[in-house]
């Protein structure tokens, strides 16, 4: 039932403790955090373990389980696109962005009013962050299910008015995306327009984006499989997942694209330079990808405060548990699958 042997062996004891009321309300939450990341069936068994005269426990457990399931399904029934805006007309771009202050800085502006502005064409931005050198801005968009890459490319080119070269990537899978929503994005936009700077990324002083152009697809797949294997063997709670990376590095968002690209957003020790981060990425990927590294200016971004190491860790545990390896992790023929719940619609 569970791909985690230790968890499977302790399931009977967990059920016994619930029946004997040895687990507190808080402890049940902790157990569910672990169990849901291993198997929904396990969580159902724990829910069933509550006897009728402990109905509140059954309701509480099932409520938690259903809430987590809804979060996992966040990327269903929509299509996400990631954009790297290489700014070609800096003056025009800055003037265009500044013009938003007149629109979204109105005293009576609300999130719903902002979302209805015609330029958005009914689409939803959920994240926007410029690089620290101001040469590029990245954005993540949530579109209606079935939107093609060409349709989105046409929209984003209209939206940016010729001020940038827009490189578009369709998101296939994601870790850490569930807290990114349009309401947070537009709230940040209104606050910035009204002179209240965004808090930016909250989990670390600096945030880096690494764009991996994959050169060896099989080898890179095997590398990811080895990460999943390490999570399954060494991590008992979601927060443990951050320990699979080199010391000082912690991830908050991973986007797997269709094709041979992916991006990761993570923090590094504050003293790290761009060259330090690039060197670390090159050592980690061992020549299987060409790595482009950017320091992000999250205080000038929109909705960066909803990026979360905890959210990424929870998704990583689900992803690792659902990863299927068809060969040993040191083999270049290893393949992977990811849970339906964190797939983006095609």
């Amino acid at each position: 039932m569970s791909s985690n042997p230790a968890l499977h062996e302790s399931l009977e004891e967990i059920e016994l403790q619930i029946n004997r009321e040895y687990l507190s309300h808080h402890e049940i939450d902790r157990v569910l955090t672990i169990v849901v990341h291993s198997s929904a069936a396990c969580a159902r068994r724990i829910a069933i373990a509550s006897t009728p005269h402990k109905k509140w426990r059954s309701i509480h457990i099932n409520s938690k389980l259903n809430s987590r399931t809804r979060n996992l399904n966040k990327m269903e029934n929509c299509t996400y696109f990631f954009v790297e805006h290489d700014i070609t007309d800096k003056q025009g771009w800055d003037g265009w962005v500044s013009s938003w202050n007149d629109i979204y800085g109105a005293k009576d502006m609300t999130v719903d009013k902002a979302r209805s502005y015609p330029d958005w064409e009914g689409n939803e931005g959920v994240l926007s962050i410029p690089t620290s050198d101001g040469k590029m801005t990245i954005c993540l968009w949530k579109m209606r299910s079935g939107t093609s890459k060409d349709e989105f490319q046409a929209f984003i080119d209209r939206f940016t008015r010729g001020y940038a070269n827009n490189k578009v990537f369709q998101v296939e899978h994601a870790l850490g995306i569930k807290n990114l929503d349009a309401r947070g994005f537009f709230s940040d936009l209104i606050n910035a327009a009204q002179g209240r700077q965004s808090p930016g990324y909250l989990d670390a002083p600096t945030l880096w984006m690494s764009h991996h152009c994959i050169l060896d697809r099989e080898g890179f797949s095997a590398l990811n499989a080895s990460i999943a294997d390490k999570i399954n063997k060494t991590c008992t709670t979601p927060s443990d997942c951050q320990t699979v990376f080199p010391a000082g590095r912690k991830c908050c968002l991973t986007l797997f694209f269709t094709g041979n690209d992916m991006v990761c957003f993570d923090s590094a020790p504050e003293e790290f330079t761009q060259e330090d981060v690039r060197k670390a990425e090159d050592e980690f990927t061992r020549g299987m990808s060409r790595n482009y590294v950017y320091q992000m200016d999250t205080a000038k971004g929109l909705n960066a405060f909803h990026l979360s190491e905890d959210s990424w860790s929870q998704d990583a545990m689900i992803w690792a548990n659902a990863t299927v390896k068809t060969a040993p992790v040191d083999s270049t023929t290893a393949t992977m699958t990811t849970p339906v719940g964190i797939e983006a619609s095609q």
Side-chain angles (χ1 to χ4, degrees):
M1 169 168 44
S2 167
S3 59
N4 184 329
L7 181 60
H8 179 70
E9 292 172 4
S10 63
L11 188 56
E12 298 289 344
E13 179 61 26
I14 293 172
E15 290 178 304
L16 182 63
Q17 290 185 48
I18 289 177
N19 278 326
R20 292 180 177 177
E21 297 186 332
Y22 290 164
L23 290 182
S24 68
H25 204 268
H26 172 74
E27 288 169 332
I28 289 175
D29 281 352
R30 184 181 62 80
V31 169
L32 278 170
T33 298
I34 300 171
V35 171
V36 170
H37 294 130
S38 178
S39 166
C42 288
R44 293 290 180 194
R45 278 185 66 180
I46 290 182
I48 292 170
S50 300
T51 57
H53 67 277
K54 300 166 188 165
K55 186 176 181 180
W56 71 270
R57 284 176 175 265
S58 182
I59 292 172
H60 176 69
I61 291 172
N62 279 293
S63 173
K64 287 290 182 182
L65 175 59
N66 292 335
S67 173
R68 295 181 193 280
T69 302
R70 283 194 299 270
N71 282 337
L72 291 183
N73 291 332
K74 181 178 176 61
M75 290 187 66
E76 293 181 349
N77 304 316
C78 63
T79 302
Y80 282 80
F81 290 95
F82 179 83
V83 189
E84 292 178 349
H85 303 286
D86 287 328
I87 300 169
T88 54
D89 181 350
K90 180 65 173 171
Q91 184 176 358
W93 178 275
D94 290 345
W96 171 58
V97 172
S98 296
S99 71
W100 293 358
N101 294 340
D102 296 331
I103 301 167
Y104 303 107
K107 291 183 179 180
D108 63 344
M109 182 56 63
T110 65
V111 167
D112 290 336
K113 285 183 180 180
R115 294 173 73 167
S116 67
Y117 189 67
D119 276 14
W120 304 102
E121 299 183 24
N123 303 314
E124 297 184 347
V126 297
L127 181 69
S128 177
I129 312 175
T131 56
S132 58
D133 61 10
K135 295 180 179 179
M136 184 175 77
T137 293
I138 64 89
C139 291
L140 182 63
W141 289 78
K142 179 182 178 182
M143 308 290 288
R144 71 184 185 281
S145 179
T147 301
S148 71
K149 186 176 179 180
D150 287 343
E151 288 173 327
F152 179 79
Q153 183 77 62
F155 158 71
I156 203 65
D157 288 343
R158 289 193 302 272
F159 183 76
T160 56
R161 305 183 180 186
Y163 299 131
N165 178 28
N166 304 307
K167 299 177 183 176
V168 170
F169 304 88
Q170 184 171 342
V171 180
E172 187 172 30
H173 308 295
L175 306 179
I177 200 173
K178 59 177 172 281
N179 291 337
L180 299 177
D181 61 5
R183 185 157 294 276
F185 178 91
F186 283 102
S187 293
D188 233 4
L189 177 59
I190 294 169
N191 285 334
Q194 295 178 349
R196 297 184 295 274
Q197 189 178 35
S198 171
Y201 183 54
L202 301 176
D203 286 355
T206 58
L207 185 68
W208 298 86
M209 182 187 84
S210 298
H211 185 139
H212 304 287
C213 297
I214 300 169
L215 305 173
D216 178 355
R217 188 71 184 182
E218 290 184 348
F220 206 87
S221 180
L223 174 63
N224 280 333
S226 70
I227 294 171
D229 188 63
K230 186 174 182 180
I231 289 174
N232 286 331
K233 288 180 177 178
T234 65
C235 301
T236 56
T237 66
S239 59
D240 297 334
C241 294
Q242 297 289 350
T243 64
V244 302
F245 298 112
R249 305 292 302 279
K250 293 186 177 181
C251 197
C252 63
L253 180 66
T254 300
L255 302 175
F256 300 90
F257 303 139
T258 56
N260 292 315
D261 292 85
M262 66 175 290
V263 295
C264 296
F265 289 80
D266 56 18
S267 60
E270 199 167 0
E271 66 274 11
F272 267 39
T273 65
Q274 186 174 23
E275 187 56 35
D276 291 331
V277 176
R278 182 183 292 108
K279 182 179 179 182
E281 292 290 349
D282 289 345
E283 290 176 352
F284 190 70
T285 56
R286 303 195 296 273
M288 290 177 285
S289 65
R290 188 182 302 114
N291 306 308
Y292 299 94
V293 174
Y294 307 89
Q295 185 170 6
M296 310 308 293
D297 188 349
T298 63
K300 293 181 180 178
L302 301 175
N303 212 23
F305 64 92
H306 274 149
L307 290 170
S308 165
E309 293 172 6
D310 287 342
S311 177
W312 184 92
S313 298
Q314 291 165 14
D315 283 352
M317 198 161 221
I318 301 169
W319 163 76
N321 228 265
T323 295
V324 177
K325 294 175 285 293
T326 59
V329 296
D330 59 350
S331 168
T332 58
T333 60
T335 59
M336 304 166 56
T337 61
T338 55
V340 172
I342 56 173
E343 288 186 2
S345 300
Q346 298 294 309

